[in-house]
């Protein structure tokens, strides 16, 4: 990695570490420590999603016009203020306002960081760069959650203030690191130009809606996030508790198994997939997740022992982690490779918006089904997982060979010498 990429990845890891300090304990903090009740805690979680949905439609254009670094710094400062305010808030309006600031800041950071990675990489190195980002995010979240769990005490409100203060400091560190990043120009790669880029008219969202491959990738992304992340802490957890009799401690082990598989397998998986067609890799993820849902069905609907049901449920989360490790070097780099040179931020923000929509709809649909309609719940998500494979293969027909397999691209002889800081609105040549 170059100097810019190393700093970007460091900031990414530290911010994830800070988020890990607070996310697992947010419900307890609002409902019990501040004594605002379960409904208020649910409202706070909803505000996070709403804030992201409000700001993301405007984020992409800001990134492309102003550059990703200023947008990242502003978002990190907003998130830092929101985190500290949340630790100090005592009333429901104050908690909601702080949550809105924190949620908006975190949402804007995602496409800004993704665009910085794109500007600091090439189509050949981008696969490994996004895999590294995903690895460091999960490692930071896991370590932050473990340390935060040792600090937090529901009987000591000051312990929660300490957690939110640490999170605020990590966002300030991210902003400080952002000020030191000098984004380089990257070499031009033949065969990596977006299909349909020249034929689309207009800009912004109109250009995205006219780009068939991006529309298909967005639909695929919604199904991916809806069938996986949208079920982790809602439908799948409710199903495991109600149908399989999984204890809270076993559910914690399942989540730990998911993170462990990602951290341990990420770079092993990367070596296996980085020279293969992205559409085929995503299709394979759909099959793996289909098997994961079948295993979950056995855990809740089978007639084995409780130990077997628990083992099957933990295996389900582990299989999801394997699929996630395969997606990190394929989906995010593909968004970047589909984007026209001047609209990388817009495309990253659009895909982040799709993810947020899936994360908002997923729990609303999966939660009630997982708690009460056990058989239909499993069948529904088996079909969704098979749909992932079908959508991925269909998307592959819309991609150029270089977009589907970046190892095929060729480097142009015209390479910028030395790092160049792009001016606001200046396109990076990829």
């Amino acid at each position: 990695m170059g100097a810019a990429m190393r700093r970007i990845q460091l900031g990414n890891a530290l911010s994830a570490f800070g988020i890990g300090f607070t996310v697992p304990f947010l419900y307890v903090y609002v409902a019990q420590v501040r004594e605002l009740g379960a409904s208020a805690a649910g409202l706070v979680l909803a505000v996070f999603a709403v804030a992201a949905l409000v700001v993301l439609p405007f984020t992409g254009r800001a990134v492309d016009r102003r550059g990703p670094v200023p947008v990242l710094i502003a978002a990190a400062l907003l998130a830092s203020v929101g985190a500290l305010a949340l630790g100090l808030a005592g009333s429901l309006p104050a908690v909601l306002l702080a949550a809105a600031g924190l949620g908006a800041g975190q949402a804007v950071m995602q496409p800004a960081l993704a665009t910085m990675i794109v500007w600091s990489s090439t189509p050949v190195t981008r696969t490994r760069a996004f895999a590294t980002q995903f690895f460091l995010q999960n490692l930071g979240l896991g370590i932050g959650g473990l340390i935060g769990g040792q600090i937090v005490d529901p009987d000591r409100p000051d312990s929660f203030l300490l957690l939110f203060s640490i999170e605020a400091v990590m966002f300030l560190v991210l902003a400080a690191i952002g000020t030191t990043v000098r984004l380089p120009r990257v070499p031009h790669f033949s065969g990596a130009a977006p299909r349909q880029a020249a034929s689309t008219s207009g800009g912004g969202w109109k250009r995205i809606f006219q780009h068939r491959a991006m529309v298909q990738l967005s639909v695929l992304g919604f199904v991916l996030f809806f069938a996986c992340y949208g079920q982790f802490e809602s439908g799948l957890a409710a199903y495991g508790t109600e149908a399989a009799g999984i204890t809270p401690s076993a559910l914690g082990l399942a989540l730990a198994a998911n993170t462990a598989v990602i951290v341990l397998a990420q770079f092993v998986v990367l070596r296996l997939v980085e020279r293969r067609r992205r559409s085929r890799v995503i299709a394979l993820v759909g099959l793996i997740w289909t098997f994961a849902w079948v295993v979950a069905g056995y855990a809740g609907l089978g007639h084995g022992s409780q130990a077997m049901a628990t083992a099957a449920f933990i295996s389900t989360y582990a299989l999801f982690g394997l699929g996630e490790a395969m997606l990190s070097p394929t989906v995010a780099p593909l968004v970047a490779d589909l984007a026209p040179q001047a609209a990388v931020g817009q495309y990253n923000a659009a895909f982040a918006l799709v993810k947020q929509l899936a994360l908002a709809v997923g729990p609303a649909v999966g939660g009630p089904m997982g708690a009460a309609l056990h058989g239909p719940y499993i069948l529904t998500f088996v079909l969704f997982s098979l749909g992932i494979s079908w959508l991925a293969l269909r998307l592959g027909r819309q991609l150029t060979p270089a977009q589907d397999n970046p190892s095929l691209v060729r480097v142009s002889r015209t390479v910028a010498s030395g790092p160049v800081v792009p001016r606001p609105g200046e396109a990076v040549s990829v």
Side-chain angles (χ1 to χ4, degrees):
M1 293 186 292
M5 184 65 76
R6 287 196 298 270
R7 294 178 184 185
I8 294 168
Q9 298 289 19
L10 174 62
N12 164 67
L14 292 176
S15 63
F17 174 75
I19 293 172
F21 261 87
T22 60
V23 169
F25 317 109
L26 187 58
Y27 181 90
V28 174
Y29 172 71
V30 176
Q32 299 179 11
V33 176
R34 292 303 181 189
E35 299 180 345
L36 297 175
S39 59
L43 186 59
V44 168
L45 295 175
V47 165
F48 273 95
V50 172
L53 294 176
V54 169
V55 298
L56 281 172
F58 308 100
T59 300
R61 181 167 294 184
V63 169
D64 291 327
R65 289 185 174 182
R66 302 295 182 183
V69 174
V71 174
L72 174 69
I73 293 172
L77 293 176
L78 176 61
S80 179
V81 172
L84 185 59
L86 195 57
L88 295 171
S91 63
L92 181 58
V95 168
L96 294 178
L97 183 61
L102 180 57
Q106 290 182 6
V108 173
M109 282 190 289
Q110 297 177 32
L113 278 169
T115 304
M116 291 171 69
I117 291 175
V118 173
W119 284 20
S120 302
S121 63
T122 67
V124 172
T125 62
R126 194 165 295 147
T127 295
R128 189 166 291 267
F130 276 102
T132 302
Q133 183 200 30
F134 188 69
F135 166 81
L136 291 175
Q137 279 181 340
N138 281 275
L139 187 62
L141 288 169
I143 294 175
L146 286 173
I147 298 177
Q150 303 304 311
I151 297 175
V152 69
D153 183 353
D155 295 326
R156 291 192 305 110
D158 288 347
S159 66
F160 285 86
L161 177 59
L162 176 61
L163 293 188
F164 285 108
S165 298
I166 293 173
E167 183 181 27
V169 170
M170 290 299 102
F171 289 135
L172 290 177
V173 171
L174 174 61
I177 292 176
T179 63
T180 68
V181 173
R182 297 295 178 265
L183 296 176
R185 282 190 183 275
V186 296
H188 174 74
F189 282 74
S190 62
R195 180 175 289 185
Q196 296 180 316
S199 63
T200 56
S201 60
W205 290 98
K206 182 179 180 181
R207 171 163 40 194
I208 291 175
F209 287 126
Q210 290 179 338
H211 192 167
R212 184 180 301 173
M214 183 59 188
V215 171
Q216 290 189 10
L217 179 59
S218 298
V219 173
L220 172 60
F222 181 88
V223 177
L224 283 167
F225 295 123
F226 177 80
C228 178
Y229 299 101
Q231 305 306 313
F232 268 9
E233 298 177 0
S234 58
L236 191 54
Y239 169 83
T241 303
E242 298 295 335
I246 302 300
T247 63
S249 60
L251 181 59
L253 286 175
L255 290 168
N258 174 265
T259 302
V261 168
I262 293 172
V263 171
L264 296 175
Q266 180 64 84
F267 293 105
V268 176
V269 169
L270 178 62
R271 289 180 178 273
L272 298 177
V273 306
E274 64 182 342
R275 293 190 177 274
R276 288 170 171 79
R277 295 176 61 177
R278 288 164 168 169
S279 57
R280 300 289 178 86
V281 173
I282 300 172
L284 180 58
V285 171
L287 296 179
I288 292 173
W289 285 359
T290 298
F291 180 64
W293 284 106
V294 171
V295 173
Y298 168 78
L301 305 176
H303 301 287
S305 64
Q306 185 60 46
M308 289 295 294
T310 301
F313 196 74
I314 293 173
S315 299
T316 297
Y317 275 80
L319 288 168
F320 273 115
L322 178 60
E324 292 173 72
M326 296 170 66
L327 289 176
S328 64
T330 53
V331 175
L334 182 54
V335 174
D337 290 345
L338 285 175
Q341 295 178 9
V344 175
Q346 184 79 51
Y347 274 56
N348 281 324
F351 199 75
L353 180 61
V354 168
K355 179 179 179 179
Q356 289 297 329
L357 285 171
L359 294 181
V361 176
V365 174
M369 288 187 67
L373 304 173
H374 303 148
Y377 177 70
I378 294 297
L379 178 61
T380 296
F381 286 95
V382 165
L383 294 176
F384 266 102
S385 299
L386 291 174
I388 290 171
S389 299
W390 178 75
L391 289 170
L393 294 176
R394 189 166 178 262
L395 172 65
R397 295 195 290 268
Q398 295 291 328
L399 304 176
T400 65
Q403 289 168 346
D404 207 11
N405 188 350
S407 65
L408 300 176
V409 300
R410 300 183 300 277
V411 186
S412 168
R413 292 181 181 273
T414 305
V415 179
S417 58
V420 177
V421 183
R423 295 185 296 274
E426 181 182 24
V428 176
S429 178
V430 177

PDB file of all heavy atoms in Angstrom, residues 217-230 282 285-286 289 320 323 327 330-331 351 358 384-385 388-389 391:
ATOM      1  N   LEU A 217     -26.796  -4.032 -10.239  1.00  0.00           N
ATOM      2  CA  LEU A 217     -25.956  -4.227  -9.058  1.00  0.00           C
ATOM      3  C   LEU A 217     -26.643  -3.696  -7.810  1.00  0.00           C
ATOM      4  O   LEU A 217     -26.528  -4.290  -6.729  1.00  0.00           O
ATOM      5  CB  LEU A 217     -24.607  -3.534  -9.264  1.00  0.00           C
ATOM      6  CG  LEU A 217     -23.620  -3.620  -8.096  1.00  0.00           C
ATOM      7  CD1 LEU A 217     -23.300  -5.071  -7.745  1.00  0.00           C
ATOM      8  CD2 LEU A 217     -22.345  -2.847  -8.404  1.00  0.00           C
ATOM      9  N   SER A 218     -27.370  -2.593  -7.930  1.00  0.00           N
ATOM     10  CA  SER A 218     -28.088  -2.039  -6.778  1.00  0.00           C
ATOM     11  C   SER A 218     -29.191  -2.975  -6.305  1.00  0.00           C
ATOM     12  O   SER A 218     -29.376  -3.174  -5.101  1.00  0.00           O
ATOM     13  CB  SER A 218     -28.668  -0.667  -7.136  1.00  0.00           C
ATOM     14  OG  SER A 218     -27.654   0.250  -7.463  1.00  0.00           O
ATOM     15  N   VAL A 219     -29.921  -3.569  -7.250  1.00  0.00           N
ATOM     16  CA  VAL A 219     -30.952  -4.552  -6.887  1.00  0.00           C
ATOM     17  C   VAL A 219     -30.307  -5.753  -6.193  1.00  0.00           C
ATOM     18  O   VAL A 219     -30.785  -6.230  -5.156  1.00  0.00           O
ATOM     19  CB  VAL A 219     -31.740  -4.996  -8.126  1.00  0.00           C
ATOM     20  CG1 VAL A 219     -32.689  -6.136  -7.778  1.00  0.00           C
ATOM     21  CG2 VAL A 219     -32.513  -3.819  -8.715  1.00  0.00           C
ATOM     22  N   LEU A 220     -29.203  -6.219  -6.765  1.00  0.00           N
ATOM     23  CA  LEU A 220     -28.477  -7.337  -6.153  1.00  0.00           C
ATOM     24  C   LEU A 220     -27.990  -6.957  -4.762  1.00  0.00           C
ATOM     25  O   LEU A 220     -28.108  -7.754  -3.812  1.00  0.00           O
ATOM     26  CB  LEU A 220     -27.301  -7.725  -7.046  1.00  0.00           C
ATOM     27  CG  LEU A 220     -26.315  -8.758  -6.481  1.00  0.00           C
ATOM     28  CD1 LEU A 220     -27.018 -10.068  -6.171  1.00  0.00           C
ATOM     29  CD2 LEU A 220     -25.161  -8.967  -7.453  1.00  0.00           C
ATOM     30  N   GLY A 221     -27.460  -5.743  -4.616  1.00  0.00           N
ATOM     31  CA  GLY A 221     -26.985  -5.296  -3.312  1.00  0.00           C
ATOM     32  C   GLY A 221     -28.096  -5.242  -2.281  1.00  0.00           C
ATOM     33  O   GLY A 221     -27.899  -5.631  -1.122  1.00  0.00           O
ATOM     34  N   PHE A 222     -29.274  -4.768  -2.687  1.00  0.00           N
ATOM     35  CA  PHE A 222     -30.397  -4.718  -1.750  1.00  0.00           C
ATOM     36  C   PHE A 222     -30.739  -6.122  -1.255  1.00  0.00           C
ATOM     37  O   PHE A 222     -30.942  -6.338  -0.053  1.00  0.00           O
ATOM     38  CB  PHE A 222     -31.615  -4.092  -2.422  1.00  0.00           C
ATOM     39  CG  PHE A 222     -32.816  -3.991  -1.521  1.00  0.00           C
ATOM     40  CD1 PHE A 222     -33.000  -2.879  -0.722  1.00  0.00           C
ATOM     41  CD2 PHE A 222     -33.756  -5.012  -1.459  1.00  0.00           C
ATOM     42  CE1 PHE A 222     -34.095  -2.784   0.121  1.00  0.00           C
ATOM     43  CE2 PHE A 222     -34.846  -4.929  -0.616  1.00  0.00           C
ATOM     44  CZ  PHE A 222     -35.020  -3.809   0.182  1.00  0.00           C
ATOM     45  N   VAL A 223     -30.781  -7.090  -2.155  1.00  0.00           N
ATOM     46  CA  VAL A 223     -31.109  -8.460  -1.753  1.00  0.00           C
ATOM     47  C   VAL A 223     -30.020  -9.027  -0.851  1.00  0.00           C
ATOM     48  O   VAL A 223     -30.303  -9.713   0.140  1.00  0.00           O
ATOM     49  CB  VAL A 223     -31.318  -9.339  -2.997  1.00  0.00           C
ATOM     50  CG1 VAL A 223     -31.600 -10.784  -2.590  1.00  0.00           C
ATOM     51  CG2 VAL A 223     -32.474  -8.805  -3.832  1.00  0.00           C
ATOM     52  N   LEU A 224     -28.752  -8.745  -1.171  1.00  0.00           N
ATOM     53  CA  LEU A 224     -27.648  -9.213  -0.338  1.00  0.00           C
ATOM     54  C   LEU A 224     -27.768  -8.698   1.086  1.00  0.00           C
ATOM     55  O   LEU A 224     -27.704  -9.466   2.061  1.00  0.00           O
ATOM     56  CB  LEU A 224     -26.315  -8.761  -0.931  1.00  0.00           C
ATOM     57  CG  LEU A 224     -25.770  -9.528  -2.142  1.00  0.00           C
ATOM     58  CD1 LEU A 224     -24.625  -8.755  -2.784  1.00  0.00           C
ATOM     59  CD2 LEU A 224     -25.293 -10.909  -1.719  1.00  0.00           C
ATOM     60  N   PHE A 225     -27.941  -7.402   1.238  1.00  0.00           N
ATOM     61  CA  PHE A 225     -27.991  -6.810   2.573  1.00  0.00           C
ATOM     62  C   PHE A 225     -29.283  -7.172   3.299  1.00  0.00           C
ATOM     63  O   PHE A 225     -29.288  -7.353   4.516  1.00  0.00           O
ATOM     64  CB  PHE A 225     -27.841  -5.292   2.463  1.00  0.00           C
ATOM     65  CG  PHE A 225     -26.504  -4.857   1.944  1.00  0.00           C
ATOM     66  CD1 PHE A 225     -26.411  -4.054   0.811  1.00  0.00           C
ATOM     67  CD2 PHE A 225     -25.329  -5.253   2.558  1.00  0.00           C
ATOM     68  CE1 PHE A 225     -25.186  -3.648   0.322  1.00  0.00           C
ATOM     69  CE2 PHE A 225     -24.093  -4.861   2.075  1.00  0.00           C
ATOM     70  CZ  PHE A 225     -24.019  -4.057   0.948  1.00  0.00           C
ATOM     71  N   PHE A 226     -30.382  -7.281   2.564  1.00  0.00           N
ATOM     72  CA  PHE A 226     -31.661  -7.652   3.162  1.00  0.00           C
ATOM     73  C   PHE A 226     -31.605  -9.076   3.714  1.00  0.00           C
ATOM     74  O   PHE A 226     -32.113  -9.348   4.806  1.00  0.00           O
ATOM     75  CB  PHE A 226     -32.760  -7.533   2.110  1.00  0.00           C
ATOM     76  CG  PHE A 226     -34.124  -7.952   2.584  1.00  0.00           C
ATOM     77  CD1 PHE A 226     -34.901  -7.088   3.343  1.00  0.00           C
ATOM     78  CD2 PHE A 226     -34.631  -9.204   2.272  1.00  0.00           C
ATOM     79  CE1 PHE A 226     -36.165  -7.475   3.786  1.00  0.00           C
ATOM     80  CE2 PHE A 226     -35.890  -9.594   2.709  1.00  0.00           C
ATOM     81  CZ  PHE A 226     -36.658  -8.727   3.462  1.00  0.00           C
ATOM     82  N   ALA A 227     -30.980  -9.993   2.960  1.00  0.00           N
ATOM     83  CA  ALA A 227     -30.974 -11.401   3.336  1.00  0.00           C
ATOM     84  C   ALA A 227     -29.891 -11.746   4.346  1.00  0.00           C
ATOM     85  O   ALA A 227     -29.909 -12.840   4.908  1.00  0.00           O
ATOM     86  CB  ALA A 227     -30.786 -12.275   2.092  1.00  0.00           C
ATOM     87  N   CYS A 228     -28.962 -10.832   4.604  1.00  0.00           N
ATOM     88  CA  CYS A 228     -27.871 -11.130   5.537  1.00  0.00           C
ATOM     89  C   CYS A 228     -27.880 -10.141   6.699  1.00  0.00           C
ATOM     90  O   CYS A 228     -28.407 -10.417   7.766  1.00  0.00           O
ATOM     91  CB  CYS A 228     -26.534 -11.108   4.797  1.00  0.00           C
ATOM     92  SG  CYS A 228     -25.085 -11.410   5.857  1.00  0.00           S
ATOM     93  N   TYR A 229     -27.319  -8.952   6.474  1.00  0.00           N
ATOM     94  CA  TYR A 229     -27.167  -7.996   7.569  1.00  0.00           C
ATOM     95  C   TYR A 229     -28.510  -7.564   8.143  1.00  0.00           C
ATOM     96  O   TYR A 229     -28.621  -7.290   9.347  1.00  0.00           O
ATOM     97  CB  TYR A 229     -26.409  -6.760   7.075  1.00  0.00           C
ATOM     98  CG  TYR A 229     -25.020  -7.069   6.575  1.00  0.00           C
ATOM     99  CD1 TYR A 229     -24.760  -7.160   5.217  1.00  0.00           C
ATOM    100  CD2 TYR A 229     -23.968  -7.274   7.462  1.00  0.00           C
ATOM    101  CE1 TYR A 229     -23.486  -7.450   4.747  1.00  0.00           C
ATOM    102  CE2 TYR A 229     -22.699  -7.560   7.008  1.00  0.00           C
ATOM    103  CZ  TYR A 229     -22.461  -7.648   5.643  1.00  0.00           C
ATOM    104  OH  TYR A 229     -21.206  -7.945   5.196  1.00  0.00           O
ATOM    105  N   GLY A 230     -29.531  -7.499   7.310  1.00  0.00           N
ATOM    106  CA  GLY A 230     -30.843  -7.100   7.792  1.00  0.00           C
ATOM    107  C   GLY A 230     -31.499  -8.115   8.696  1.00  0.00           C
ATOM    108  O   GLY A 230     -32.536  -7.820   9.316  1.00  0.00           O
ATOM    109  N   ILE A 282     -19.999 -13.920  -6.508  1.00  0.00           N
ATOM    110  CA  ILE A 282     -21.230 -13.498  -5.829  1.00  0.00           C
ATOM    111  C   ILE A 282     -22.298 -14.588  -5.944  1.00  0.00           C
ATOM    112  O   ILE A 282     -23.042 -14.846  -4.990  1.00  0.00           O
ATOM    113  CB  ILE A 282     -21.736 -12.173  -6.408  1.00  0.00           C
ATOM    114  CG1 ILE A 282     -20.687 -11.077  -6.225  1.00  0.00           C
ATOM    115  CG2 ILE A 282     -23.040 -11.750  -5.732  1.00  0.00           C
ATOM    116  CD1 ILE A 282     -21.017  -9.774  -6.935  1.00  0.00           C
ATOM    117  N   VAL A 285     -21.646 -17.102  -3.374  1.00  0.00           N
ATOM    118  CA  VAL A 285     -22.094 -16.625  -2.062  1.00  0.00           C
ATOM    119  C   VAL A 285     -23.576 -16.926  -1.863  1.00  0.00           C
ATOM    120  O   VAL A 285     -23.998 -17.354  -0.780  1.00  0.00           O
ATOM    121  CB  VAL A 285     -21.821 -15.115  -1.910  1.00  0.00           C
ATOM    122  CG1 VAL A 285     -22.484 -14.569  -0.640  1.00  0.00           C
ATOM    123  CG2 VAL A 285     -20.328 -14.848  -1.871  1.00  0.00           C
ATOM    124  N   GLY A 286     -24.372 -16.723  -2.916  1.00  0.00           N
ATOM    125  CA  GLY A 286     -25.799 -17.044  -2.808  1.00  0.00           C
ATOM    126  C   GLY A 286     -26.033 -18.502  -2.460  1.00  0.00           C
ATOM    127  O   GLY A 286     -26.905 -18.829  -1.644  1.00  0.00           O
ATOM    128  N   TRP A 289     -25.041 -19.088   1.214  1.00  0.00           N
ATOM    129  CA  TRP A 289     -26.067 -18.583   2.130  1.00  0.00           C
ATOM    130  C   TRP A 289     -27.341 -19.417   2.054  1.00  0.00           C
ATOM    131  O   TRP A 289     -28.070 -19.529   3.046  1.00  0.00           O
ATOM    132  CB  TRP A 289     -26.351 -17.121   1.827  1.00  0.00           C
ATOM    133  CG  TRP A 289     -25.257 -16.213   2.317  1.00  0.00           C
ATOM    134  CD1 TRP A 289     -24.123 -16.587   2.979  1.00  0.00           C
ATOM    135  CD2 TRP A 289     -25.196 -14.799   2.194  1.00  0.00           C
ATOM    136  NE1 TRP A 289     -23.350 -15.488   3.267  1.00  0.00           N
ATOM    137  CE2 TRP A 289     -23.983 -14.375   2.801  1.00  0.00           C
ATOM    138  CE3 TRP A 289     -26.033 -13.847   1.624  1.00  0.00           C
ATOM    139  CZ2 TRP A 289     -23.601 -13.031   2.845  1.00  0.00           C
ATOM    140  CZ3 TRP A 289     -25.652 -12.501   1.674  1.00  0.00           C
ATOM    141  CH2 TRP A 289     -24.453 -12.111   2.276  1.00  0.00           C
ATOM    142  N   PHE A 320     -22.423 -17.380   7.070  1.00  0.00           N
ATOM    143  CA  PHE A 320     -22.656 -16.010   6.627  1.00  0.00           C
ATOM    144  C   PHE A 320     -21.340 -15.234   6.594  1.00  0.00           C
ATOM    145  O   PHE A 320     -21.088 -14.441   5.677  1.00  0.00           O
ATOM    146  CB  PHE A 320     -23.666 -15.309   7.539  1.00  0.00           C
ATOM    147  CG  PHE A 320     -25.088 -15.532   7.137  1.00  0.00           C
ATOM    148  CD1 PHE A 320     -25.974 -16.221   7.957  1.00  0.00           C
ATOM    149  CD2 PHE A 320     -25.557 -15.035   5.939  1.00  0.00           C
ATOM    150  CE1 PHE A 320     -27.294 -16.422   7.585  1.00  0.00           C
ATOM    151  CE2 PHE A 320     -26.884 -15.230   5.557  1.00  0.00           C
ATOM    152  CZ  PHE A 320     -27.750 -15.935   6.382  1.00  0.00           C
ATOM    153  N   GLY A 323     -19.388 -16.009   3.475  1.00  0.00           N
ATOM    154  CA  GLY A 323     -19.932 -15.283   2.341  1.00  0.00           C
ATOM    155  C   GLY A 323     -19.546 -13.817   2.360  1.00  0.00           C
ATOM    156  O   GLY A 323     -19.213 -13.228   1.326  1.00  0.00           O
ATOM    157  N   LEU A 327     -17.597 -11.420  -0.397  1.00  0.00           N
ATOM    158  CA  LEU A 327     -18.224 -10.242  -1.000  1.00  0.00           C
ATOM    159  C   LEU A 327     -17.356  -8.995  -0.889  1.00  0.00           C
ATOM    160  O   LEU A 327     -17.383  -8.138  -1.779  1.00  0.00           O
ATOM    161  CB  LEU A 327     -19.573  -9.968  -0.330  1.00  0.00           C
ATOM    162  CG  LEU A 327     -20.713 -10.944  -0.638  1.00  0.00           C
ATOM    163  CD1 LEU A 327     -21.937 -10.585   0.188  1.00  0.00           C
ATOM    164  CD2 LEU A 327     -21.051 -10.930  -2.116  1.00  0.00           C
ATOM    165  N   THR A 330     -15.323  -8.059  -3.853  1.00  0.00           N
ATOM    166  CA  THR A 330     -16.009  -8.126  -5.146  1.00  0.00           C
ATOM    167  C   THR A 330     -17.018  -6.997  -5.329  1.00  0.00           C
ATOM    168  O   THR A 330     -16.975  -6.282  -6.334  1.00  0.00           O
ATOM    169  CB  THR A 330     -16.740  -9.479  -5.297  1.00  0.00           C
ATOM    170  OG1 THR A 330     -17.578  -9.694  -4.157  1.00  0.00           O
ATOM    171  CG2 THR A 330     -15.750 -10.627  -5.405  1.00  0.00           C
ATOM    172  N   VAL A 331     -17.926  -6.787  -4.386  1.00  0.00           N
ATOM    173  CA  VAL A 331     -19.037  -5.868  -4.601  1.00  0.00           C
ATOM    174  C   VAL A 331     -18.581  -4.411  -4.573  1.00  0.00           C
ATOM    175  O   VAL A 331     -18.840  -3.640  -5.511  1.00  0.00           O
ATOM    176  CB  VAL A 331     -20.147  -6.108  -3.556  1.00  0.00           C
ATOM    177  CG1 VAL A 331     -21.244  -5.063  -3.705  1.00  0.00           C
ATOM    178  CG2 VAL A 331     -20.743  -7.502  -3.733  1.00  0.00           C
ATOM    179  N   PHE A 351     -24.902   3.370  -3.666  1.00  0.00           N
ATOM    180  CA  PHE A 351     -24.880   1.995  -3.160  1.00  0.00           C
ATOM    181  C   PHE A 351     -24.995   1.966  -1.637  1.00  0.00           C
ATOM    182  O   PHE A 351     -25.620   1.067  -1.075  1.00  0.00           O
ATOM    183  CB  PHE A 351     -23.605   1.291  -3.612  1.00  0.00           C
ATOM    184  CG  PHE A 351     -23.693  -0.203  -3.545  1.00  0.00           C
ATOM    185  CD1 PHE A 351     -24.428  -0.905  -4.492  1.00  0.00           C
ATOM    186  CD2 PHE A 351     -23.067  -0.909  -2.530  1.00  0.00           C
ATOM    187  CE1 PHE A 351     -24.533  -2.286  -4.413  1.00  0.00           C
ATOM    188  CE2 PHE A 351     -23.172  -2.287  -2.460  1.00  0.00           C
ATOM    189  CZ  PHE A 351     -23.910  -2.982  -3.407  1.00  0.00           C
ATOM    190  N   ALA A 358     -31.968  -1.463   2.749  1.00  0.00           N
ATOM    191  CA  ALA A 358     -32.094  -2.887   3.072  1.00  0.00           C
ATOM    192  C   ALA A 358     -32.025  -3.117   4.579  1.00  0.00           C
ATOM    193  O   ALA A 358     -32.756  -3.950   5.127  1.00  0.00           O
ATOM    194  CB  ALA A 358     -30.998  -3.678   2.358  1.00  0.00           C
ATOM    195  N   PHE A 384     -34.587 -16.072  -1.300  1.00  0.00           N
ATOM    196  CA  PHE A 384     -33.807 -14.852  -1.501  1.00  0.00           C
ATOM    197  C   PHE A 384     -32.348 -15.177  -1.806  1.00  0.00           C
ATOM    198  O   PHE A 384     -31.717 -14.536  -2.658  1.00  0.00           O
ATOM    199  CB  PHE A 384     -33.897 -13.956  -0.260  1.00  0.00           C
ATOM    200  CG  PHE A 384     -34.987 -12.924  -0.334  1.00  0.00           C
ATOM    201  CD1 PHE A 384     -36.182 -13.105   0.353  1.00  0.00           C
ATOM    202  CD2 PHE A 384     -34.818 -11.772  -1.085  1.00  0.00           C
ATOM    203  CE1 PHE A 384     -37.188 -12.158   0.291  1.00  0.00           C
ATOM    204  CE2 PHE A 384     -35.823 -10.807  -1.151  1.00  0.00           C
ATOM    205  CZ  PHE A 384     -37.016 -11.006  -0.466  1.00  0.00           C
ATOM    206  N   SER A 385     -31.784 -16.157  -1.122  1.00  0.00           N
ATOM    207  CA  SER A 385     -30.384 -16.522  -1.341  1.00  0.00           C
ATOM    208  C   SER A 385     -30.186 -17.118  -2.729  1.00  0.00           C
ATOM    209  O   SER A 385     -29.189 -16.820  -3.404  1.00  0.00           O
ATOM    210  CB  SER A 385     -29.925 -17.502  -0.259  1.00  0.00           C
ATOM    211  OG  SER A 385     -30.019 -16.907   1.024  1.00  0.00           O
ATOM    212  N   ILE A 388     -30.032 -14.386  -5.134  1.00  0.00           N
ATOM    213  CA  ILE A 388     -28.723 -13.735  -5.223  1.00  0.00           C
ATOM    214  C   ILE A 388     -27.894 -14.361  -6.336  1.00  0.00           C
ATOM    215  O   ILE A 388     -27.271 -13.654  -7.146  1.00  0.00           O
ATOM    216  CB  ILE A 388     -27.987 -13.835  -3.868  1.00  0.00           C
ATOM    217  CG1 ILE A 388     -28.672 -12.941  -2.827  1.00  0.00           C
ATOM    218  CG2 ILE A 388     -26.508 -13.459  -4.018  1.00  0.00           C
ATOM    219  CD1 ILE A 388     -28.155 -13.151  -1.413  1.00  0.00           C
ATOM    220  N   SER A 389     -27.872 -15.683  -6.392  1.00  0.00           N
ATOM    221  CA  SER A 389     -27.101 -16.372  -7.431  1.00  0.00           C
ATOM    222  C   SER A 389     -27.633 -16.034  -8.820  1.00  0.00           C
ATOM    223  O   SER A 389     -26.857 -15.764  -9.749  1.00  0.00           O
ATOM    224  CB  SER A 389     -27.153 -17.892  -7.201  1.00  0.00           C
ATOM    225  OG  SER A 389     -26.582 -18.232  -5.950  1.00  0.00           O
ATOM    226  N   LEU A 391     -29.386 -13.321  -9.760  1.00  0.00           N
ATOM    227  CA  LEU A 391     -29.119 -11.921 -10.062  1.00  0.00           C
ATOM    228  C   LEU A 391     -27.646 -11.694 -10.396  1.00  0.00           C
ATOM    229  O   LEU A 391     -27.308 -10.887 -11.269  1.00  0.00           O
ATOM    230  CB  LEU A 391     -29.532 -11.042  -8.884  1.00  0.00           C
ATOM    231  CG  LEU A 391     -31.036 -10.880  -8.637  1.00  0.00           C
ATOM    232  CD1 LEU A 391     -31.278 -10.201  -7.296  1.00  0.00           C
ATOM    233  CD2 LEU A 391     -31.685 -10.083  -9.757  1.00  0.00           C
TER     234      LEU A 391
END
